[in-house]
Each structure stands twice: as C-alpha cells, then as structure tokens.
Amino acid sequence: MYIRKAQPTDEAAAALMLQAMEDIVYRFIGKKDKKEATYFLTELFKQKSNQYSYENTFVAIDENDQIVGSITAYDGDQLASLRAPVLRLMQDKYNQHLQLDNETDGDELYLDTIAVAPNQQGKGIGGLLLRHILNYAQDHNFSKVGLLVDFTNPNAQRLYARVGFQIDSKKDFAGGQYYHMIYPCK
C-alpha cells in the first residue's frame, strides 16, 4: 500500500469523493442521481484549478495497483478561485445558483474529502491518508489543517479528535450544520 499524488486518469477517486460528500453533491446538481453526481465530480477531478481537481488529491494504491482511498485538500486561502469552476459547472450544466458559505476560513490546509473504498474499510487506509495529509501540511508550512464534520456524525468527530483535531467553531454549509475542526501543525 502506498500513497501518491493523483493523476487526471485516476477517475476512481471521483467516485470515492462522492462517497464522502454524497448529499452535498446532490444539492450542487439539484437532484439525487448517483450517476450524474459521479459525472459532476469526475469532470471537476479531471480539470485543473478547482476544489476537486486531481491536483489537490492523493490516492491510496493497493498491491494490485487499484485506488482504494483518496484524500482531497487545498490551501483554504484559495477557496474563492478554486470554487469558481465548481459554481460555473453547477450553473451551466444544472442551472443551480447556490450561494455557498465558506467551509474554510483560510489560513489552513482544508481537508475537503477523505474516503476509502467500501470493501477496504477497516484496514487502516483512512488513517494512512490522514497521516499523509498532516505530514504534507507540516512539510508545506501550514499552521493548521481544517475540516468539517456533520453534527450528526459523532463517530467521525471522535475519530478526528483521537488524531488531535479540536472543534474550532460551528458552520452552516450547503444546507447542513457542521463542526469546523482544526489540527494545529505547529
């Protein structure tokens, strides 16, 4: 098992992203359609300079060269420019004109999605990906890593707390309520 930077051809990572943010993507496209939601994320994943781009994603690769996990994170200070292509696709293809709150306050490496293939869960892949991104943040001089956790997901809250994340604030985003948790890197 190893982790590497994603490539545009690693489209399986987009399906994993959907697993991490399914309801949000359905709001983005205006319908509960898994095939269409996967298409939406795949199109963004293959492009440069957006939140869900391969440029912001790392993938976990198993011994059979299969993608079994992914993690997507970006500089929170770049949210506006990275979000613009996402909003444009939402508007142009789905006629969705959502006003989205900022999920990051900036000044952090924002962990947008982390997901492990269902048949690979419980094998430590998520922890491996999370440690990779925390090391990446430290190596790139970020002062903290931030993420959102749904109020209704106490298991994820406990998982992140065990790693060292702390609840920083509460945020509304895309119709849901979340805790903004941070991991101090310094």
Side-chain angles (χ1 to χ4, degrees), residues 75-86:
D75 183 342
D77 288 333
Q78 303 300 314
L79 177 62
S81 63
L82 293 172
R83 180 181 278 170
V86 177

Side-chain angles (χ1 to χ4, degrees), residues 7 9 14 19-20 22 35 52 58 60 72-73 80 86 90 109 129 139 154 158 161 163 176 178:
Q7 301 165 2
T9 54
Q19 177 183 307
E22 197 166 349
K35 183 178 177 183
Y52 310 115
F58 293 91
T72 301
V86 177
M90 286 167 49
L109 180 66
L129 286 163
D139 292 348
R158 282 191 294 277
V163 174
Y178 300 86

Side-chain angles (χ1 to χ4, degrees), residues 100-154:
L100 298 173
D101 295 316
N102 291 342
E103 59 259 51
T104 174
D105 295 329
D107 188 32
E108 66 186 9
L109 180 66
Y110 180 71
L111 196 166
D112 200 303
T113 68
I114 181 170
V116 175
N119 65 343
Q120 298 295 314
Q121 292 177 0
K123 297 181 179 181
I125 298 167
L128 189 65
L129 286 163
L130 191 53
R131 283 188 298 282
H132 181 83
I133 213 67
L134 296 176
N135 290 333
Y136 176 89
Q138 290 174 336
D139 292 348
H140 288 83
N141 298 313
F142 284 94
S143 62
K144 61 188 172 190
V145 176
L147 55 82
L148 293 185
V149 178
D150 194 304
F151 279 9
T152 63
N153 193 346

